[in-house]
Amino acid sequence: MSDAIQHNVPEHKDLPLPDYDHLPVGTLPSRISGLGEADVAQLISYEKAHGNRLPILQILEKRLHDLQGGAVPRGPEAPSTPEVSTSQADTPQSAQVPGPPINPPSHGTPTNPAQPR
């Protein structure tokens, strides 16, 4: 990649969508519906330089084409992304409930060569 192209590629922190790299493909059309031409073009530049995933590029390029053809951004500019949430669990109790005890098989653990099999 040439230096001239590399300088025009946005950094991940500058992207208009939080956690862009972790969004499920199926949610991308609704996530970009509130973005303008410049933001969609920025995502295309980033995608081409990093993942270069064809399904993603097709969605982004179609949206850019629609915007250039007169489509109006609709929806929030930065929609929430619950499917990429970094929170622990939905219930506060789940972190406190221990799982069942794990006992090695009676013939030893296959990953421990010191135990007989």
Side-chain angles (χ1 to χ4, degrees):
M1 185 181 298
S2 72
D3 288 338
I5 294 172
Q6 213 167 12
H7 292 298
N8 294 331
V9 175
E11 292 191 34
H12 186 267
K13 65 180 177 56
D14 298 327
L15 294 177
L17 291 177
D19 293 330
Y20 165 77
D21 290 328
H22 303 290
L23 291 174
V25 177
T27 66
L28 189 58
S30 64
R31 300 285 181 219
I32 63 173
S33 65
L35 301 178
E37 280 185 51
D39 289 335
V40 175
Q42 186 180 33
L43 289 174
I44 290 172
S45 295
Y46 179 83
E47 183 61 35
K48 285 182 177 179
H50 293 87
N52 205 23
R53 300 167 288 182
L54 183 61
I56 302 293
L57 286 171
Q58 288 174 332
I59 293 168
L60 293 172
E61 289 171 348
K62 180 185 181 324
R63 181 63 183 158
L64 182 61
H65 182 266
D66 291 347
L67 289 167
Q68 291 169 338
V72 178
R74 61 191 192 294
E77 250 185 63
S80 65
T81 53
E83 61 276 335
V84 293
S85 173
T86 57
S87 65
Q88 289 294 323
D90 292 342
T91 61
Q93 177 187 7
S94 63
Q96 300 167 354
V97 177
I102 299 175
N103 297 321
S106 59
H107 57 276
T109 306
T111 58
N112 187 350
Q115 290 185 343
R117 293 189 225 287

